[in-house]
Every structure is written in structure tokens, then in C-alpha cells.
Amino acid sequence: MDGTTTTPLSGRKAQAARNDQLILDAARAVFIADPTAPISAVAERAGVGISALYRRYASKEDLLRKLCGDGLRRYLDAAEEMLADDGDAWEAFARFMRNLVDADTNSLTQRLAGTFVPTEELYRDAARAQELNEQIFARVRAAEAVRPDFDVNDLSLVLEQLASVRLGDEDRTRELRHRYLTLFLDGLRQPSPTPLPGSPPTWAELGERWNPERP
């Protein structure tokens, strides 16, 4: 024991924290389903007044930035956990991919890219995520665990394809995503008899999707 204690939140602060989580959970569901939905739809789904929502987030863009920032941090946590795992490189990579499918961070990228102006902090976190992706890729490549024509930038689009799988309720959707993740992992692992057509996406191509002024 270190002698420290955690002070419980007061009733008002606890309620505010609960409301904030309700808002974020509702915003994620609403905007993944329809990125053009008004912010009032979030308040309605969360069961809070619009004034309570605006006290926390001054605009829809602020709320979108918060959602994507939280998603990026979950991605960073999963990547750092994978790199800290000094066991078998392939097994660590497979767990990393399963964790990302469960976290569903790529649904945010798939649906919200280009719908708001990112902050410098979001750009920094995205750059950090790419640095970690490069380290992960280098590790599995050094272990000769993946096919030689797989590129680090293929990873984002594969995860987005898995995030696009939506059928039935949440449990059924999760089951199907893991089904197709297993097919992907089997196709990625050495040996790989069929060459991949075309070239992988570039980091610039992936980043350009977040530009709200793109054609």
C-alpha cells in the first residue's frame, strides 16, 4: 500500500461524469451511423438536454475531435502494449489486431475522416501511431512472420474493411469481424503463394482523407 487514497466524486461531479460518458457513447453511435447527423440527435440519444451537451462541447466539431482523440489514444495503448510484449512476434501481432477489432477505433476513421478540421494534437497522435506501426511492422518483418509484399500502410485499410462489417447485433458483428480477421491473418502469414496486385497506399494518401477541403 502506498498510503494514497482516491477521493470519490461528489454527487454533482459523478453525475456530470456519467452524463459525459453518455454523450460520448451516444455521439459515437450517432456519427458512425450518420456523420451528417445534427448534434441534437446526440443529446436525444444520450437522454440529456442540449444545454448540458453544449456545456461540455461547444460545437459538433469539438465533439468529433474528442471522439477521434479518444480513439487514437486507444490505438496508441494497443500498439504500445504489443511492442512491450517480448514473446512470439506473430502471436503478439495477432493479439494486437484482435484488440483493435474489439476497440473498433477504425470505424471512426472510416466514417469521420474529412468531416472536421483536426487539431495539432490529433496530428501529433496520428504521427505517433504511425511511428508505432512502423516499429510493429519492423518487428514482424524481422521475424519473417509476414509475407514480403505486405506494407505497413496496408494495415489501416485492412482494419477499416473489418470495421465496415455490420450485421445483426453487436455480438454478431463482433463474431463476424473476428471471422474475417482470421482469414486476413491467415493470408498475411508466411508462406504466401499469390502475389498482391497493385501497390500499397502511401502515408500521404491516408492522411489526405482528413482534409475537409479535399475534392
Side-chain angles (χ1 to χ4, degrees), residues 28 32 67-78 96-113 129 156 159-160 163 166 177 210:
R28 179 184 174 87
I32 285 178
L67 286 175
C68 288
D70 287 351
L72 262 174
R73 282 186 285 277
R74 286 194 295 273
Y75 192 99
L76 292 172
D77 288 344
F96 167 67
M97 294 294 288
R98 288 192 290 268
N99 287 340
L100 291 180
V101 167
D102 285 340
D104 195 25
T105 59
N106 287 84
S107 284
L108 295 171
T109 301
Q110 183 188 55
R111 300 294 285 161
L112 302 183
S156 292
L159 287 166
E160 288 176 38
R166 297 180 184 279
R177 287 177 179 176
W210 290 96

PDB file of all heavy atoms in Angstrom, residues 28 32 67-78 96-113 129 156 159-160 163 166 177 210:
ATOM      1  N   ARG A  28     -20.736   8.581 -30.540  1.00  0.00           N
ATOM      2  CA  ARG A  28     -20.071   7.547 -31.333  1.00  0.00           C
ATOM      3  C   ARG A  28     -21.092   6.775 -32.165  1.00  0.00           C
ATOM      4  O   ARG A  28     -20.920   6.574 -33.367  1.00  0.00           O
ATOM      5  CB  ARG A  28     -19.306   6.588 -30.410  1.00  0.00           C
ATOM      6  CG  ARG A  28     -18.588   5.463 -31.137  1.00  0.00           C
ATOM      7  CD  ARG A  28     -17.938   4.514 -30.143  1.00  0.00           C
ATOM      8  NE  ARG A  28     -17.374   3.374 -30.846  1.00  0.00           N
ATOM      9  CZ  ARG A  28     -16.165   3.335 -31.363  1.00  0.00           C
ATOM     10  NH1 ARG A  28     -15.362   4.395 -31.250  1.00  0.00           N
ATOM     11  NH2 ARG A  28     -15.718   2.272 -31.999  1.00  0.00           N
ATOM     12  N   ILE A  32     -21.186   7.484 -36.246  1.00  0.00           N
ATOM     13  CA  ILE A  32     -20.751   6.347 -37.064  1.00  0.00           C
ATOM     14  C   ILE A  32     -21.883   5.933 -38.009  1.00  0.00           C
ATOM     15  O   ILE A  32     -21.659   5.590 -39.167  1.00  0.00           O
ATOM     16  CB  ILE A  32     -20.282   5.171 -36.190  1.00  0.00           C
ATOM     17  CG1 ILE A  32     -18.902   5.480 -35.597  1.00  0.00           C
ATOM     18  CG2 ILE A  32     -20.228   3.869 -36.993  1.00  0.00           C
ATOM     19  CD1 ILE A  32     -18.366   4.413 -34.678  1.00  0.00           C
ATOM     20  N   LEU A  67     -14.056  12.501 -29.870  1.00  0.00           N
ATOM     21  CA  LEU A  67     -14.240  11.091 -30.219  1.00  0.00           C
ATOM     22  C   LEU A  67     -12.993  10.524 -30.889  1.00  0.00           C
ATOM     23  O   LEU A  67     -12.509   9.439 -30.539  1.00  0.00           O
ATOM     24  CB  LEU A  67     -15.434  10.927 -31.155  1.00  0.00           C
ATOM     25  CG  LEU A  67     -16.830  11.063 -30.566  1.00  0.00           C
ATOM     26  CD1 LEU A  67     -17.861  10.980 -31.673  1.00  0.00           C
ATOM     27  CD2 LEU A  67     -17.087   9.997 -29.516  1.00  0.00           C
ATOM     28  N   CYS A  68     -12.472  11.257 -31.880  1.00  0.00           N
ATOM     29  CA  CYS A  68     -11.319  10.752 -32.614  1.00  0.00           C
ATOM     30  C   CYS A  68     -10.059  10.768 -31.763  1.00  0.00           C
ATOM     31  O   CYS A  68      -9.207   9.889 -31.886  1.00  0.00           O
ATOM     32  CB  CYS A  68     -11.125  11.562 -33.897  1.00  0.00           C
ATOM     33  SG  CYS A  68     -12.410  11.180 -35.121  1.00  0.00           S
ATOM     34  N   GLY A  69      -9.934  11.760 -30.872  1.00  0.00           N
ATOM     35  CA  GLY A  69      -8.797  11.789 -29.966  1.00  0.00           C
ATOM     36  C   GLY A  69      -8.808  10.594 -29.032  1.00  0.00           C
ATOM     37  O   GLY A  69      -7.769   9.951 -28.811  1.00  0.00           O
ATOM     38  N   ASP A  70      -9.975  10.252 -28.492  1.00  0.00           N
ATOM     39  CA  ASP A  70     -10.080   9.080 -27.623  1.00  0.00           C
ATOM     40  C   ASP A  70      -9.768   7.803 -28.391  1.00  0.00           C
ATOM     41  O   ASP A  70      -9.105   6.894 -27.877  1.00  0.00           O
ATOM     42  CB  ASP A  70     -11.493   8.990 -27.030  1.00  0.00           C
ATOM     43  CG  ASP A  70     -11.752  10.043 -25.967  1.00  0.00           C
ATOM     44  OD1 ASP A  70     -10.796  10.743 -25.557  1.00  0.00           O
ATOM     45  OD2 ASP A  70     -12.919  10.179 -25.544  1.00  0.00           O
ATOM     46  N   GLY A  71     -10.252   7.726 -29.634  1.00  0.00           N
ATOM     47  CA  GLY A  71      -9.965   6.546 -30.453  1.00  0.00           C
ATOM     48  C   GLY A  71      -8.484   6.399 -30.741  1.00  0.00           C
ATOM     49  O   GLY A  71      -7.933   5.292 -30.689  1.00  0.00           O
ATOM     50  N   LEU A  72      -7.821   7.513 -31.031  1.00  0.00           N
ATOM     51  CA  LEU A  72      -6.381   7.469 -31.281  1.00  0.00           C
ATOM     52  C   LEU A  72      -5.619   7.002 -30.047  1.00  0.00           C
ATOM     53  O   LEU A  72      -4.662   6.233 -30.147  1.00  0.00           O
ATOM     54  CB  LEU A  72      -5.877   8.850 -31.705  1.00  0.00           C
ATOM     55  CG  LEU A  72      -5.707   9.087 -33.198  1.00  0.00           C
ATOM     56  CD1 LEU A  72      -5.335  10.547 -33.455  1.00  0.00           C
ATOM     57  CD2 LEU A  72      -4.639   8.169 -33.783  1.00  0.00           C
ATOM     58  N   ARG A  73      -6.043   7.470 -28.877  1.00  0.00           N
ATOM     59  CA  ARG A  73      -5.348   7.064 -27.657  1.00  0.00           C
ATOM     60  C   ARG A  73      -5.533   5.574 -27.384  1.00  0.00           C
ATOM     61  O   ARG A  73      -4.616   4.900 -26.902  1.00  0.00           O
ATOM     62  CB  ARG A  73      -5.805   7.923 -26.478  1.00  0.00           C
ATOM     63  CG  ARG A  73      -5.146   9.306 -26.486  1.00  0.00           C
ATOM     64  CD  ARG A  73      -5.491  10.105 -25.248  1.00  0.00           C
ATOM     65  NE  ARG A  73      -6.845  10.614 -25.294  1.00  0.00           N
ATOM     66  CZ  ARG A  73      -7.200  11.726 -25.928  1.00  0.00           C
ATOM     67  NH1 ARG A  73      -6.286  12.437 -26.569  1.00  0.00           N
ATOM     68  NH2 ARG A  73      -8.445  12.141 -25.913  1.00  0.00           N
ATOM     69  N   ARG A  74      -6.710   5.043 -27.698  1.00  0.00           N
ATOM     70  CA  ARG A  74      -6.899   3.588 -27.549  1.00  0.00           C
ATOM     71  C   ARG A  74      -5.983   2.834 -28.506  1.00  0.00           C
ATOM     72  O   ARG A  74      -5.428   1.781 -28.158  1.00  0.00           O
ATOM     73  CB  ARG A  74      -8.366   3.218 -27.802  1.00  0.00           C
ATOM     74  CG  ARG A  74      -9.293   3.604 -26.662  1.00  0.00           C
ATOM     75  CD  ARG A  74     -10.641   2.923 -26.788  1.00  0.00           C
ATOM     76  NE  ARG A  74     -11.375   3.363 -27.960  1.00  0.00           N
ATOM     77  CZ  ARG A  74     -12.172   4.417 -27.982  1.00  0.00           C
ATOM     78  NH1 ARG A  74     -12.344   5.149 -26.897  1.00  0.00           N
ATOM     79  NH2 ARG A  74     -12.816   4.752 -29.082  1.00  0.00           N
ATOM     80  N   TYR A  75      -5.839   3.364 -29.707  1.00  0.00           N
ATOM     81  CA  TYR A  75      -4.938   2.736 -30.688  1.00  0.00           C
ATOM     82  C   TYR A  75      -3.503   2.772 -30.173  1.00  0.00           C
ATOM     83  O   TYR A  75      -2.773   1.770 -30.247  1.00  0.00           O
ATOM     84  CB  TYR A  75      -5.048   3.463 -32.020  1.00  0.00           C
ATOM     85  CG  TYR A  75      -4.385   2.746 -33.168  1.00  0.00           C
ATOM     86  CD1 TYR A  75      -5.142   1.987 -34.051  1.00  0.00           C
ATOM     87  CD2 TYR A  75      -3.005   2.810 -33.378  1.00  0.00           C
ATOM     88  CE1 TYR A  75      -4.553   1.312 -35.112  1.00  0.00           C
ATOM     89  CE2 TYR A  75      -2.411   2.140 -34.426  1.00  0.00           C
ATOM     90  CZ  TYR A  75      -3.180   1.399 -35.291  1.00  0.00           C
ATOM     91  OH  TYR A  75      -2.578   0.724 -36.329  1.00  0.00           O
ATOM     92  N   LEU A  76      -3.067   3.915 -29.656  1.00  0.00           N
ATOM     93  CA  LEU A  76      -1.703   4.040 -29.137  1.00  0.00           C
ATOM     94  C   LEU A  76      -1.468   3.067 -27.989  1.00  0.00           C
ATOM     95  O   LEU A  76      -0.406   2.440 -27.907  1.00  0.00           O
ATOM     96  CB  LEU A  76      -1.447   5.479 -28.678  1.00  0.00           C
ATOM     97  CG  LEU A  76      -1.399   6.540 -29.773  1.00  0.00           C
ATOM     98  CD1 LEU A  76      -1.329   7.931 -29.153  1.00  0.00           C
ATOM     99  CD2 LEU A  76      -0.214   6.328 -30.701  1.00  0.00           C
ATOM    100  N   ASP A  77      -2.450   2.935 -27.104  1.00  0.00           N
ATOM    101  CA  ASP A  77      -2.311   1.996 -25.980  1.00  0.00           C
ATOM    102  C   ASP A  77      -2.129   0.568 -26.480  1.00  0.00           C
ATOM    103  O   ASP A  77      -1.291  -0.184 -25.972  1.00  0.00           O
ATOM    104  CB  ASP A  77      -3.534   2.076 -25.067  1.00  0.00           C
ATOM    105  CG  ASP A  77      -3.588   3.358 -24.245  1.00  0.00           C
ATOM    106  OD1 ASP A  77      -2.546   4.052 -24.152  1.00  0.00           O
ATOM    107  OD2 ASP A  77      -4.666   3.677 -23.707  1.00  0.00           O
ATOM    108  N   ALA A  78      -2.933   0.185 -27.483  1.00  0.00           N
ATOM    109  CA  ALA A  78      -2.837  -1.178 -28.016  1.00  0.00           C
ATOM    110  C   ALA A  78      -1.489  -1.405 -28.694  1.00  0.00           C
ATOM    111  O   ALA A  78      -0.877  -2.481 -28.555  1.00  0.00           O
ATOM    112  CB  ALA A  78      -3.979  -1.433 -29.008  1.00  0.00           C
ATOM    113  N   PHE A  96      -2.634  -7.974 -31.060  1.00  0.00           N
ATOM    114  CA  PHE A  96      -2.781  -6.552 -31.346  1.00  0.00           C
ATOM    115  C   PHE A  96      -3.944  -6.321 -32.311  1.00  0.00           C
ATOM    116  O   PHE A  96      -4.799  -5.452 -32.090  1.00  0.00           O
ATOM    117  CB  PHE A  96      -1.471  -6.046 -31.941  1.00  0.00           C
ATOM    118  CG  PHE A  96      -1.520  -4.689 -32.590  1.00  0.00           C
ATOM    119  CD1 PHE A  96      -1.742  -3.543 -31.840  1.00  0.00           C
ATOM    120  CD2 PHE A  96      -1.317  -4.562 -33.963  1.00  0.00           C
ATOM    121  CE1 PHE A  96      -1.766  -2.287 -32.442  1.00  0.00           C
ATOM    122  CE2 PHE A  96      -1.335  -3.306 -34.568  1.00  0.00           C
ATOM    123  CZ  PHE A  96      -1.564  -2.169 -33.807  1.00  0.00           C
ATOM    124  N   MET A  97      -4.009  -7.095 -33.361  1.00  0.00           N
ATOM    125  CA  MET A  97      -5.080  -6.945 -34.339  1.00  0.00           C
ATOM    126  C   MET A  97      -6.439  -7.276 -33.723  1.00  0.00           C
ATOM    127  O   MET A  97      -7.435  -6.582 -33.965  1.00  0.00           O
ATOM    128  CB  MET A  97      -4.798  -7.830 -35.546  1.00  0.00           C
ATOM    129  CG  MET A  97      -3.566  -7.430 -36.350  1.00  0.00           C
ATOM    130  SD  MET A  97      -3.773  -5.824 -37.161  1.00  0.00           S
ATOM    131  CE  MET A  97      -4.950  -6.242 -38.436  1.00  0.00           C
ATOM    132  N   ARG A  98      -6.504  -8.324 -32.925  1.00  0.00           N
ATOM    133  CA  ARG A  98      -7.774  -8.677 -32.278  1.00  0.00           C
ATOM    134  C   ARG A  98      -8.223  -7.570 -31.322  1.00  0.00           C
ATOM    135  O   ARG A  98      -9.414  -7.247 -31.241  1.00  0.00           O
ATOM    136  CB  ARG A  98      -7.640 -10.017 -31.554  1.00  0.00           C
ATOM    137  CG  ARG A  98      -7.553 -11.222 -32.501  1.00  0.00           C
ATOM    138  CD  ARG A  98      -7.721 -12.530 -31.751  1.00  0.00           C
ATOM    139  NE  ARG A  98      -6.587 -12.829 -30.898  1.00  0.00           N
ATOM    140  CZ  ARG A  98      -5.529 -13.546 -31.268  1.00  0.00           C
ATOM    141  NH1 ARG A  98      -5.459 -14.030 -32.500  1.00  0.00           N
ATOM    142  NH2 ARG A  98      -4.563 -13.793 -30.416  1.00  0.00           N
ATOM    143  N   ASN A  99      -7.272  -6.997 -30.587  1.00  0.00           N
ATOM    144  CA  ASN A  99      -7.605  -5.904 -29.672  1.00  0.00           C
ATOM    145  C   ASN A  99      -8.167  -4.698 -30.431  1.00  0.00           C
ATOM    146  O   ASN A  99      -9.104  -4.044 -29.970  1.00  0.00           O
ATOM    147  CB  ASN A  99      -6.373  -5.480 -28.874  1.00  0.00           C
ATOM    148  CG  ASN A  99      -5.985  -6.491 -27.814  1.00  0.00           C
ATOM    149  OD1 ASN A  99      -6.801  -7.314 -27.402  1.00  0.00           O
ATOM    150  ND2 ASN A  99      -4.754  -6.448 -27.354  1.00  0.00           N
ATOM    151  N   LEU A 100      -7.593  -4.394 -31.599  1.00  0.00           N
ATOM    152  CA  LEU A 100      -8.065  -3.256 -32.384  1.00  0.00           C
ATOM    153  C   LEU A 100      -9.457  -3.514 -32.947  1.00  0.00           C
ATOM    154  O   LEU A 100     -10.283  -2.596 -33.011  1.00  0.00           O
ATOM    155  CB  LEU A 100      -7.087  -2.947 -33.513  1.00  0.00           C
ATOM    156  CG  LEU A 100      -5.734  -2.373 -33.080  1.00  0.00           C
ATOM    157  CD1 LEU A 100      -4.864  -2.112 -34.300  1.00  0.00           C
ATOM    158  CD2 LEU A 100      -5.915  -1.091 -32.285  1.00  0.00           C
ATOM    159  N   VAL A 101      -9.712  -4.734 -33.364  1.00  0.00           N
ATOM    160  CA  VAL A 101     -11.051  -5.061 -33.862  1.00  0.00           C
ATOM    161  C   VAL A 101     -12.077  -4.885 -32.744  1.00  0.00           C
ATOM    162  O   VAL A 101     -13.168  -4.338 -32.957  1.00  0.00           O
ATOM    163  CB  VAL A 101     -11.080  -6.495 -34.429  1.00  0.00           C
ATOM    164  CG1 VAL A 101     -12.521  -6.970 -34.645  1.00  0.00           C
ATOM    165  CG2 VAL A 101     -10.320  -6.554 -35.752  1.00  0.00           C
ATOM    166  N   ASP A 102     -11.726  -5.315 -31.533  1.00  0.00           N
ATOM    167  CA  ASP A 102     -12.650  -5.158 -30.410  1.00  0.00           C
ATOM    168  C   ASP A 102     -12.828  -3.687 -30.025  1.00  0.00           C
ATOM    169  O   ASP A 102     -13.933  -3.255 -29.680  1.00  0.00           O
ATOM    170  CB  ASP A 102     -12.148  -5.949 -29.199  1.00  0.00           C
ATOM    171  CG  ASP A 102     -12.366  -7.443 -29.350  1.00  0.00           C
ATOM    172  OD1 ASP A 102     -13.210  -7.837 -30.172  1.00  0.00           O
ATOM    173  OD2 ASP A 102     -11.677  -8.215 -28.652  1.00  0.00           O
ATOM    174  N   ALA A 103     -11.746  -2.901 -30.073  1.00  0.00           N
ATOM    175  CA  ALA A 103     -11.833  -1.478 -29.729  1.00  0.00           C
ATOM    176  C   ALA A 103     -12.610  -0.697 -30.785  1.00  0.00           C
ATOM    177  O   ALA A 103     -13.192   0.349 -30.501  1.00  0.00           O
ATOM    178  CB  ALA A 103     -10.439  -0.892 -29.561  1.00  0.00           C
ATOM    179  N   ASP A 104     -12.607  -1.183 -32.022  1.00  0.00           N
ATOM    180  CA  ASP A 104     -13.364  -0.581 -33.132  1.00  0.00           C
ATOM    181  C   ASP A 104     -12.973   0.874 -33.377  1.00  0.00           C
ATOM    182  O   ASP A 104     -13.819   1.697 -33.716  1.00  0.00           O
ATOM    183  CB  ASP A 104     -14.871  -0.699 -32.875  1.00  0.00           C
ATOM    184  CG  ASP A 104     -15.692  -0.440 -34.145  1.00  0.00           C
ATOM    185  OD1 ASP A 104     -15.146  -0.635 -35.250  1.00  0.00           O
ATOM    186  OD2 ASP A 104     -16.864  -0.052 -34.017  1.00  0.00           O
ATOM    187  N   THR A 105     -11.707   1.192 -33.221  1.00  0.00           N
ATOM    188  CA  THR A 105     -11.264   2.572 -33.460  1.00  0.00           C
ATOM    189  C   THR A 105     -11.359   2.954 -34.933  1.00  0.00           C
ATOM    190  O   THR A 105     -11.549   4.129 -35.259  1.00  0.00           O
ATOM    191  CB  THR A 105      -9.818   2.754 -32.990  1.00  0.00           C
ATOM    192  OG1 THR A 105      -8.957   1.849 -33.685  1.00  0.00           O
ATOM    193  CG2 THR A 105      -9.690   2.496 -31.496  1.00  0.00           C
ATOM    194  N   ASN A 106     -11.268   1.992 -35.822  1.00  0.00           N
ATOM    195  CA  ASN A 106     -11.232   2.319 -37.242  1.00  0.00           C
ATOM    196  C   ASN A 106     -12.600   2.671 -37.820  1.00  0.00           C
ATOM    197  O   ASN A 106     -12.681   3.227 -38.913  1.00  0.00           O
ATOM    198  CB  ASN A 106     -10.592   1.183 -38.036  1.00  0.00           C
ATOM    199  CG  ASN A 106      -9.102   1.138 -37.821  1.00  0.00           C
ATOM    200  OD1 ASN A 106      -8.633   0.547 -36.842  1.00  0.00           O
ATOM    201  ND2 ASN A 106      -8.332   1.778 -38.686  1.00  0.00           N
ATOM    202  N   SER A 107     -13.671   2.381 -37.092  1.00  0.00           N
ATOM    203  CA  SER A 107     -14.979   2.860 -37.540  1.00  0.00           C
ATOM    204  C   SER A 107     -15.009   4.385 -37.546  1.00  0.00           C
ATOM    205  O   SER A 107     -15.645   5.003 -38.404  1.00  0.00           O
ATOM    206  CB  SER A 107     -16.095   2.338 -36.619  1.00  0.00           C
ATOM    207  OG  SER A 107     -16.369   0.986 -36.893  1.00  0.00           O
ATOM    208  N   LEU A 108     -14.300   4.993 -36.584  1.00  0.00           N
ATOM    209  CA  LEU A 108     -14.250   6.454 -36.523  1.00  0.00           C
ATOM    210  C   LEU A 108     -13.521   7.015 -37.735  1.00  0.00           C
ATOM    211  O   LEU A 108     -13.970   7.979 -38.356  1.00  0.00           O
ATOM    212  CB  LEU A 108     -13.563   6.898 -35.235  1.00  0.00           C
ATOM    213  CG  LEU A 108     -14.296   6.533 -33.942  1.00  0.00           C
ATOM    214  CD1 LEU A 108     -13.412   6.814 -32.728  1.00  0.00           C
ATOM    215  CD2 LEU A 108     -15.599   7.301 -33.829  1.00  0.00           C
ATOM    216  N   THR A 109     -12.375   6.412 -38.077  1.00  0.00           N
ATOM    217  CA  THR A 109     -11.635   6.860 -39.255  1.00  0.00           C
ATOM    218  C   THR A 109     -12.479   6.712 -40.511  1.00  0.00           C
ATOM    219  O   THR A 109     -12.587   7.632 -41.330  1.00  0.00           O
ATOM    220  CB  THR A 109     -10.342   6.052 -39.418  1.00  0.00           C
ATOM    221  OG1 THR A 109      -9.543   6.220 -38.251  1.00  0.00           O
ATOM    222  CG2 THR A 109      -9.553   6.513 -40.642  1.00  0.00           C
ATOM    223  N   GLN A 110     -13.092   5.557 -40.631  1.00  0.00           N
ATOM    224  CA  GLN A 110     -13.864   5.245 -41.830  1.00  0.00           C
ATOM    225  C   GLN A 110     -15.018   6.222 -42.044  1.00  0.00           C
ATOM    226  O   GLN A 110     -15.286   6.642 -43.170  1.00  0.00           O
ATOM    227  CB  GLN A 110     -14.404   3.813 -41.686  1.00  0.00           C
ATOM    228  CG  GLN A 110     -15.182   3.298 -42.875  1.00  0.00           C
ATOM    229  CD  GLN A 110     -15.826   1.971 -42.537  1.00  0.00           C
ATOM    230  OE1 GLN A 110     -16.563   1.854 -41.567  1.00  0.00           O
ATOM    231  NE2 GLN A 110     -15.538   0.963 -43.327  1.00  0.00           N
ATOM    232  N   ARG A 111     -15.674   6.629 -40.963  1.00  0.00           N
ATOM    233  CA  ARG A 111     -16.876   7.440 -41.089  1.00  0.00           C
ATOM    234  C   ARG A 111     -16.632   8.933 -40.913  1.00  0.00           C
ATOM    235  O   ARG A 111     -17.372   9.744 -41.466  1.00  0.00           O
ATOM    236  CB  ARG A 111     -17.915   6.972 -40.057  1.00  0.00           C
ATOM    237  CG  ARG A 111     -18.330   5.532 -40.229  1.00  0.00           C
ATOM    238  CD  ARG A 111     -19.084   5.330 -41.518  1.00  0.00           C
ATOM    239  NE  ARG A 111     -20.453   5.859 -41.412  1.00  0.00           N
ATOM    240  CZ  ARG A 111     -21.218   6.152 -42.449  1.00  0.00           C
ATOM    241  NH1 ARG A 111     -20.744   6.016 -43.676  1.00  0.00           N
ATOM    242  NH2 ARG A 111     -22.453   6.607 -42.270  1.00  0.00           N
ATOM    243  N   LEU A 112     -15.600   9.305 -40.141  1.00  0.00           N
ATOM    244  CA  LEU A 112     -15.455  10.712 -39.771  1.00  0.00           C
ATOM    245  C   LEU A 112     -14.313  11.432 -40.462  1.00  0.00           C
ATOM    246  O   LEU A 112     -14.208  12.659 -40.370  1.00  0.00           O
ATOM    247  CB  LEU A 112     -15.281  10.838 -38.253  1.00  0.00           C
ATOM    248  CG  LEU A 112     -16.413  10.257 -37.397  1.00  0.00           C
ATOM    249  CD1 LEU A 112     -16.156  10.514 -35.926  1.00  0.00           C
ATOM    250  CD2 LEU A 112     -17.762  10.824 -37.814  1.00  0.00           C
ATOM    251  N   ALA A 113     -13.444  10.711 -41.161  1.00  0.00           N
ATOM    252  CA  ALA A 113     -12.323  11.364 -41.841  1.00  0.00           C
ATOM    253  C   ALA A 113     -12.849  12.415 -42.815  1.00  0.00           C
ATOM    254  O   ALA A 113     -13.727  12.140 -43.627  1.00  0.00           O
ATOM    255  CB  ALA A 113     -11.466  10.335 -42.585  1.00  0.00           C
ATOM    256  N   ALA A 129       1.106   7.295 -33.827  1.00  0.00           N
ATOM    257  CA  ALA A 129       0.531   5.991 -34.181  1.00  0.00           C
ATOM    258  C   ALA A 129       1.281   5.385 -35.360  1.00  0.00           C
ATOM    259  O   ALA A 129       1.568   4.177 -35.378  1.00  0.00           O
ATOM    260  CB  ALA A 129      -0.953   6.135 -34.506  1.00  0.00           C
ATOM    261  N   SER A 156      -3.973   0.065 -42.140  1.00  0.00           N
ATOM    262  CA  SER A 156      -5.123   0.926 -41.860  1.00  0.00           C
ATOM    263  C   SER A 156      -6.347   0.527 -42.679  1.00  0.00           C
ATOM    264  O   SER A 156      -7.470   0.451 -42.157  1.00  0.00           O
ATOM    265  CB  SER A 156      -4.771   2.389 -42.155  1.00  0.00           C
ATOM    266  OG  SER A 156      -3.821   2.872 -41.247  1.00  0.00           O
ATOM    267  N   LEU A 159      -7.938  -2.750 -41.512  1.00  0.00           N
ATOM    268  CA  LEU A 159      -8.738  -2.556 -40.303  1.00  0.00           C
ATOM    269  C   LEU A 159     -10.049  -1.839 -40.619  1.00  0.00           C
ATOM    270  O   LEU A 159     -11.091  -2.134 -40.018  1.00  0.00           O
ATOM    271  CB  LEU A 159      -7.931  -1.781 -39.264  1.00  0.00           C
ATOM    272  CG  LEU A 159      -6.818  -2.590 -38.591  1.00  0.00           C
ATOM    273  CD1 LEU A 159      -5.868  -1.665 -37.836  1.00  0.00           C
ATOM    274  CD2 LEU A 159      -7.406  -3.633 -37.637  1.00  0.00           C
ATOM    275  N   GLU A 160     -10.021  -0.910 -41.557  1.00  0.00           N
ATOM    276  CA  GLU A 160     -11.251  -0.215 -41.937  1.00  0.00           C
ATOM    277  C   GLU A 160     -12.222  -1.156 -42.648  1.00  0.00           C
ATOM    278  O   GLU A 160     -13.444  -1.052 -42.486  1.00  0.00           O
ATOM    279  CB  GLU A 160     -10.929   0.992 -42.800  1.00  0.00           C
ATOM    280  CG  GLU A 160     -10.289   2.131 -42.009  1.00  0.00           C
ATOM    281  CD  GLU A 160      -9.893   3.291 -42.877  1.00  0.00           C
ATOM    282  OE1 GLU A 160     -10.645   3.610 -43.825  1.00  0.00           O
ATOM    283  OE2 GLU A 160      -8.830   3.889 -42.620  1.00  0.00           O
ATOM    284  N   ALA A 163     -13.863  -3.014 -39.985  1.00  0.00           N
ATOM    285  CA  ALA A 163     -14.815  -2.152 -39.275  1.00  0.00           C
ATOM    286  C   ALA A 163     -16.102  -1.954 -40.062  1.00  0.00           C
ATOM    287  O   ALA A 163     -17.146  -1.640 -39.486  1.00  0.00           O
ATOM    288  CB  ALA A 163     -14.168  -0.801 -38.978  1.00  0.00           C
ATOM    289  N   ARG A 166     -20.927  -4.981 -40.533  1.00  0.00           N
ATOM    290  CA  ARG A 166     -22.007  -4.724 -39.572  1.00  0.00           C
ATOM    291  C   ARG A 166     -23.204  -5.572 -39.963  1.00  0.00           C
ATOM    292  O   ARG A 166     -23.801  -5.362 -41.008  1.00  0.00           O
ATOM    293  CB  ARG A 166     -22.396  -3.240 -39.561  1.00  0.00           C
ATOM    294  CG  ARG A 166     -21.282  -2.324 -39.115  1.00  0.00           C
ATOM    295  CD  ARG A 166     -21.697  -0.857 -39.105  1.00  0.00           C
ATOM    296  NE  ARG A 166     -20.573  -0.020 -38.760  1.00  0.00           N
ATOM    297  CZ  ARG A 166     -20.139   0.193 -37.525  1.00  0.00           C
ATOM    298  NH1 ARG A 166     -20.762  -0.382 -36.524  1.00  0.00           N
ATOM    299  NH2 ARG A 166     -19.089   0.958 -37.291  1.00  0.00           N
ATOM    300  N   ARG A 177     -16.565  -9.980 -37.537  1.00  0.00           N
ATOM    301  CA  ARG A 177     -15.304  -9.262 -37.719  1.00  0.00           C
ATOM    302  C   ARG A 177     -14.121 -10.149 -37.367  1.00  0.00           C
ATOM    303  O   ARG A 177     -13.098 -10.137 -38.062  1.00  0.00           O
ATOM    304  CB  ARG A 177     -15.299  -7.988 -36.871  1.00  0.00           C
ATOM    305  CG  ARG A 177     -16.219  -6.898 -37.419  1.00  0.00           C
ATOM    306  CD  ARG A 177     -16.230  -5.689 -36.520  1.00  0.00           C
ATOM    307  NE  ARG A 177     -17.087  -4.642 -37.057  1.00  0.00           N
ATOM    308  CZ  ARG A 177     -17.339  -3.498 -36.448  1.00  0.00           C
ATOM    309  NH1 ARG A 177     -16.797  -3.238 -35.262  1.00  0.00           N
ATOM    310  NH2 ARG A 177     -18.125  -2.591 -37.014  1.00  0.00           N
ATOM    311  N   TRP A 210      -8.233  13.198 -44.164  1.00  0.00           N
ATOM    312  CA  TRP A 210      -8.658  14.031 -43.037  1.00  0.00           C
ATOM    313  C   TRP A 210      -8.752  15.507 -43.435  1.00  0.00           C
ATOM    314  O   TRP A 210      -9.120  16.346 -42.604  1.00  0.00           O
ATOM    315  CB  TRP A 210      -7.694  13.858 -41.860  1.00  0.00           C
ATOM    316  CG  TRP A 210      -7.837  12.504 -41.268  1.00  0.00           C
ATOM    317  CD1 TRP A 210      -7.081  11.406 -41.536  1.00  0.00           C
ATOM    318  CD2 TRP A 210      -8.832  12.071 -40.327  1.00  0.00           C
ATOM    319  NE1 TRP A 210      -7.538  10.319 -40.827  1.00  0.00           N
ATOM    320  CE2 TRP A 210      -8.611  10.694 -40.082  1.00  0.00           C
ATOM    321  CE3 TRP A 210      -9.894  12.711 -39.683  1.00  0.00           C
ATOM    322  CZ2 TRP A 210      -9.414   9.966 -39.208  1.00  0.00           C
ATOM    323  CZ3 TRP A 210     -10.686  11.977 -38.817  1.00  0.00           C
ATOM    324  CH2 TRP A 210     -10.437  10.620 -38.573  1.00  0.00           C
TER     325      TRP A 210
END
